[in-house]
Amino acid sequence: AIVAGTLAAMFGAIRESAAHNHMIEQRRVALMIAQSELSAVGVTIPAAPGITEGTQGDYYWRIDIEPFGGQQQPGFGTAPNPAGVLCSVHVMVGDAHRRPLANLTTLTLVRAT
């Protein structure tokens, strides 16, 4: 009975450790995908306010680009900033059920068109 109890406790600890390692690996892959998608903003993903979504393998990603600090595009009679508009870029990567695994946020300058 003592050996059986010890083996059961060891099996539970090993199973919990394996689940923990699997979650860490999922988050590591999700972070790599988030970094990859963030580097694609302005290259293959338009650097313009809006939402872009996609999948990579078993992972779902979403990029939200919005004006930073409530900046809006200039209205009628207002000269546009020649440098562009400062925007916040948020990348979220989730699993197949869209549970967030990795989040990255940065700022970028969106050129006026």
Side-chain angles (χ1 to χ4, degrees), residues 30-97:
L31 185 57
M32 287 181 9
I33 292 170
Q35 290 171 334
S36 174
E37 295 304 326
L38 185 60
S39 69
V41 172
V43 180
T44 57
I45 296 172
I51 296 172
T52 306
E53 299 176 307
T55 58
Q56 189 168 352
D58 293 335
Y59 296 88
Y60 161 81
W61 56 264
R62 175 184 169 125
I63 299 174
D64 294 316
I65 302 175
E66 57 188 24
F68 178 72
Q71 291 184 9
Q72 297 297 322
Q73 295 293 338
F76 181 74
T78 306
N81 183 342
V85 176
L86 187 62
C87 287
S88 171
V89 180
H90 179 78
V91 180
M92 186 281 298
V93 178
D95 61 11
H97 303 291

Side-chain angles (χ1 to χ4, degrees), residues 2-20:
I2 294 173
V3 171
T6 303
L7 289 175
M10 286 176 49
F11 178 73
I14 290 170
R15 186 179 62 200
E16 185 177 323
S17 176
H20 182 71

